[in-house]
Amino acid sequence: RTELRSPTPARFTTRTMAAEGGSRSKYSGLAGDARGHSSWFLTRTNKEHQLTMEHPFMKTIYAKNFDRSAYVHYIAGQYLMFRELERACEPHVGSKPLSVVFDKDLLRASALERDLRAWCGGDSSAFDASVAKAAAAPQLARYMQRLSADASDAWMLLCHHFLQYNAVLSGGQFLGGIVAARAQSEGLPSGSGAEFYAFAPSCQPTHSRVQRYIDSMDSLDITEAVRDRMLACMQEVYASLLGMFDEAYALAPIQGVSYEESKASGAPTGGSDASAQKKKKGPPPPPMEPGPRSFTLAQLAEHGAGEQLLTSVLGRVYDVTAGREFFGPDGPYAMFAGNDGTYNLAVMSLKKPTLNKFEYELDGEDKECLSDWIAYFDNRYGQPLGVLADKKHSVSIKDLPRATKIPFSGLDDDDDDEPAPAAAAAQPKSKL
């Protein structure tokens, strides 16, 4: 997920809005280095996004032990959802706002249809039955009702477009590899079963395509009234998506692994050891005390590539060499290596001009987000090596609330201890 004050307190520049209501949006007409619409939406739907990332059904995909019938039900629903979304968007793609983000290479319905047919063994009757079953599911029906209601409003369709396509772009490379491996083990025809996650060369690398989408969306003039309606729409879309995950998982409640565990282990095959996957209850620990080393911003910049990769969060300098696939030159977060990424992490932004930003204002949600990211870096990369000595942030760690979760870890303050589902006992032991 992606995306103040200058040293001299200044209001954002705004333009007169041509969109509905004619009101002026705080985030319209921003300079290229300021927070945009995407950041505003992403920080305010971050909790919902984390719930989808760590849903028990998604964990079975990360573990590659997902039940075939449950996955068929899931992609049948995805097929119906994307097919209807693409039909609803078609009349609007020639004008703003959808003309700004539309790209035929993003369309997913045809790929989903081919995937579904492959997982149904090429049996047309099984395909038809899976589509009918998905269409009758209450949560998909709920989503379809919302989409139908939004079909005449291009701004509301933009909400669906923004969430759905960026979700697949963001997670597609990782999930596609997992699903493709499972498809091969299930005996599906070579190269089939995971086209949903595969994008054309024009969309590669996908993390750059996500940023281009965000830049396009940020170029739009969006009034405050429309922005607030869009946020409500996005939150309702997330609620429906989580409901669809619930329905798929209920078909075969198998123990899985978290996203972070899957990445760390190379996405293992098979099930998971329930004892190994027992969650810690309660909030993440407080931030670690940094080590004794001092760095200047110039010294930090020397570690943006090469043998050792360093990044700074709130002046806390982490060695992220172990995450080279993310922070290395071709990684999706390469921009953070050698830089302080505090502001970008707080507001969920991949805009390079706001790296090494030390004077800014954060609202409550931004501070919560930053606190969770510090918990993530502590958990994933260990004690900070030290601190930046020649730069001081306008926000200190004492200004942040206690972290409520560690992103991607499956650990958070709201988790209750859960007994492992009975189905997990029958699964082979994980490589974890």
Side-chain angles (χ1 to χ4, degrees):
R1 311 274 319 259
T2 41
E3 356 214 63
L4 294 108
R5 189 164 71 185
S6 62
T8 306
R11 297 285 182 184
F12 290 124
T13 303
T14 58
R15 291 194 296 264
T16 302
M17 308 294 288
E20 70 180 73
S23 64
R24 297 161 69 87
S25 170
K26 179 180 178 182
Y27 298 113
S28 66
L30 298 181
D33 64 346
R35 178 198 292 251
H37 307 304
S38 300
S39 165
W40 192 88
F41 290 125
L42 291 169
T43 54
R44 283 153 182 76
T45 57
N46 188 42
K47 291 178 181 178
E48 290 88 347
H49 171 73
Q50 291 295 330
L51 288 173
T52 62
M53 287 282 292
E54 293 301 331
H55 191 280
F57 176 70
M58 291 303 298
K59 289 182 177 182
T60 69
I61 298 180
Y62 303 150
K64 280 197 287 192
N65 66 349
F66 56 86
D67 178 80
R68 180 167 177 163
S69 63
Y71 187 70
V72 165
H73 182 74
Y74 166 70
I75 60 170
Q78 293 290 300
Y79 164 61
L80 291 172
M81 189 168 61
F82 275 91
R83 186 182 69 176
E84 191 58 32
L85 175 57
E86 287 162 14
R87 288 175 177 173
C89 289
E90 189 173 359
H92 301 277
V93 299
S95 58
K96 289 184 178 182
L98 286 174
S99 62
V100 171
V101 299
F102 178 77
D103 178 354
K104 61 180 178 55
D105 287 339
L106 293 180
L107 303 181
R108 296 290 90 197
S110 295
L112 278 162
E113 180 178 357
R114 292 191 294 272
D115 282 353
L116 183 55
R117 290 189 183 279
W119 283 98
C120 289
D123 185 331
S124 294
S125 61
F127 173 86
D128 292 341
S130 67
V131 169
K133 180 179 178 182
Q139 292 300 326
L140 179 65
R142 174 187 176 185
Y143 177 84
M144 292 298 204
Q145 285 178 341
R146 172 79 209 207
L147 183 57
S148 177
D150 292 337
S152 61
D153 188 330
W155 289 103
M156 296 303 102
L157 285 177
L158 177 61
C159 301
H160 297 263
H161 199 279
F162 173 72
L163 293 181
Q164 301 287 22
Y165 291 106
N166 281 304
V168 188
L169 279 168
S170 298
Q173 299 301 298
F174 179 61
L175 293 176
I178 292 174
V179 174
R182 177 62 187 275
Q184 185 176 18
S185 72
E186 291 281 334
L188 272 63
S190 179
S192 68
E195 291 186 54
F196 176 39
Y197 310 100
F199 286 87
S202 66
C203 295
Q204 303 295 338
T206 53
H207 60 83
S208 295
R209 183 64 187 86
V210 169
Q211 188 57 45
R212 294 203 307 274
Y213 188 111
I214 284 173
D215 290 343
S216 296
M217 185 158 170
D218 286 350
S219 73
L220 290 165
D221 285 341
I222 305 179
T223 69
E224 290 186 18
V226 173
R227 182 201 66 190
D228 291 342
R229 289 201 300 117
M230 289 176 68
L231 177 60
C233 176
M234 290 182 189
Q235 290 169 334
E236 188 169 336
V237 168
Y238 267 120
S240 294
L241 295 176
L242 286 164
M244 285 185 260
F245 285 170
D246 288 343
E247 289 174 339
Y249 186 68
L251 295 175
I254 298 170
Q255 185 86 357
V257 299
S258 73
Y259 173 82
E260 180 67 17
E261 290 163 335
S262 182
K263 292 293 292 186
S265 65
T269 56
S272 66
D273 181 349
S275 63
Q277 302 306 323
K278 187 72 169 177
K279 294 180 183 179
K280 299 176 184 177
K281 187 176 180 180
M288 293 181 176
E289 282 294 325
R293 296 177 61 183
S294 294
F295 298 83
T296 65
L297 193 60
Q299 288 171 331
L300 181 67
E302 294 173 0
H303 296 276
E307 191 171 319
Q308 186 183 45
L309 301 176
L310 302 182
T311 192
S312 171
V313 183
L314 204 58
R316 300 158 61 85
V317 178
Y318 293 91
D319 185 336
V320 294
T321 309
R324 186 173 296 277
E325 64 177 303
F326 300 111
F327 295 95
D330 296 322
Y333 308 122
M335 58 178 268
F336 289 100
N339 293 294
D340 184 284
T342 303
Y343 180 75
N344 293 65
L345 291 168
V347 304
M348 305 292 283
S349 171
L350 290 177
K351 295 180 182 292
K352 292 182 181 180
T354 49
L355 291 169
N356 303 318
K357 187 179 181 72
F358 296 93
E359 291 288 338
Y360 48 80
E361 290 180 346
L362 301 179
D363 64 21
E365 288 172 314
D366 299 333
K367 289 179 180 178
E368 287 178 14
C369 191
L370 179 57
S371 185
D372 289 345
W373 277 119
I374 289 173
Y376 169 81
F377 277 90
D378 280 0
N379 181 65
R380 179 72 174 84
Y381 298 105
Q383 182 187 28
L385 301 180
V387 298
L388 286 180
D390 64 336
K391 295 291 181 180
K392 184 176 178 62
H393 284 274
S394 56
V395 171
S396 75
I397 205 158
K398 294 179 180 179
D399 297 322
L400 303 183
R402 180 77 177 265
T404 59
K405 63 180 178 297
I406 300 175
F408 314 126
S409 69
L411 307 178
D412 62 59
D413 196 12
D414 298 323
D415 282 332
D416 293 323
D417 290 336
E418 297 175 340
Q427 299 296 326
K429 207 168 190 180
S430 169
K431 293 180 183 177
L432 285 175

